């Protein structure tokens, strides 16, 4: 298997742009520069192609920042598993996790309050009260699954879990 097929299987090569891991260890702004993003278009909250995926989300999940037709398929998903069904947040982290990004899973209560249940700061370990499981994939990526803590009641809201990405310059 070539390195290009390994990268593509992890969702890293799109639209001829380099992924975060190919930009080196420099961090977000080196990634933005390597992908031709300048000025206001290089800001973490910018969305040049207006697809709803900010530069920071593209960087955190090693996607191309513009014109990536498969990007939505590679972002986190909320699934219901078990009997009775329980909400689970599932996502895949790239082989090279950015040092300047935090991944935060929040539970939304029936009253709309957000409670942090899992956090990963850069390349550090996961912390939080949520049930966190990780599985290393053949392509070097890591699939992460986060469930609501066993002692907490499952909210009756439509989307009780969400993943937030924070920039930590």
């Amino acid at each position: 298997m070539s390195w290009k097929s390994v990268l593509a299987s992890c969702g890293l090569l799109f639209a001829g742009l380099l992924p975060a891991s190919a930009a080196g260890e420099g961090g977000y702004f080196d990634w933005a520069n390597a992908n031709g993003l300048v000025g206001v278009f290089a800001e973490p909250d910018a969305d040049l192609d207006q697809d709803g995926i900010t530069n920071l989300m593209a960087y955190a999940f090693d996607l191309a920042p513009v014109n990536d037709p498969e990007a939505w398929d590679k972002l986190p998903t909320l699934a219901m598993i078990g009997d009775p069904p329980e909400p689970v947040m599932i996502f895949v982290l790239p082989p090279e996790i950015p040092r300047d990004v935090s991944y935060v899973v929040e539970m939304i209560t029936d009253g709309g309050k957000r409670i942090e249940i899992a956090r990963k700061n850069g390349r550090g370990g996961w912390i939080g009260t949520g049930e966190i499981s990780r599985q290393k994939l053949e392509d070097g990526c890591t699939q992460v699954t986060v469930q609501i803590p066993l002692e907490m009641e499952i909210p009756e809201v439509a989307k009780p879990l969400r993943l937030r990405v924070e920039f930590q310059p």
Side-chain angles (χ1 to χ4, degrees):
M1 177 180 279
S2 74
W3 67 272
K4 286 185 178 181
S5 62
V6 170
L7 291 174
S9 68
C10 194
L12 304 177
L13 289 176
F14 298 103
L17 298 174
L18 294 174
S21 58
E25 294 292 323
Y28 173 80
F29 289 106
D30 285 344
W31 171 86
N33 186 51
N35 281 283
L37 302 173
V38 295
V40 296
F41 301 114
E43 292 299 318
D45 60 346
D47 181 9
L48 183 60
D49 59 0
Q50 298 182 350
D51 63 356
I53 302 170
T54 65
N55 289 343
L56 184 59
M57 286 297 279
Y59 172 65
F61 290 98
D62 221 1
L63 305 169
V66 293
N67 300 325
D68 186 343
E70 297 177 7
W72 283 102
D73 296 333
K74 304 204 183 308
L75 289 176
T77 58
L78 178 65
M80 302 299 271
I81 62 168
D83 187 22
E86 295 185 21
V88 176
M89 178 64 63
I90 302 169
F91 50 97
V92 176
L93 296 179
E96 284 294 321
I97 296 172
R99 293 179 186 202
D100 51 357
V101 169
S102 292
Y103 302 87
V104 182
V105 178
E106 298 173 324
M107 180 181 84
I108 312 329
T109 66
D110 291 328
K113 182 179 176 186
R114 295 179 178 159
I115 300 170
E116 185 176 301
I117 62 170
R119 171 182 284 271
K120 178 175 183 51
N121 294 323
R123 296 183 182 164
W126 283 94
I127 57 172
T129 59
E131 302 294 320
I132 305 162
S133 62
R134 297 172 308 280
Q135 177 184 0
K136 196 71 153 177
L137 304 176
E138 289 181 18
D139 59 9
C141 296
T142 303
Q143 180 175 307
V144 179
T145 304
V146 180
Q147 292 179 283
I148 293 174
L150 295 175
E151 68 276 1
M152 297 183 102
E153 186 174 321
I154 298 172
E156 296 291 327
V157 296
K159 295 181 180 179
L161 295 175
R162 80 171 208 161
L163 177 70
R164 182 170 40 93
V165 176
E166 298 174 343
F167 182 45
Q168 305 293 323

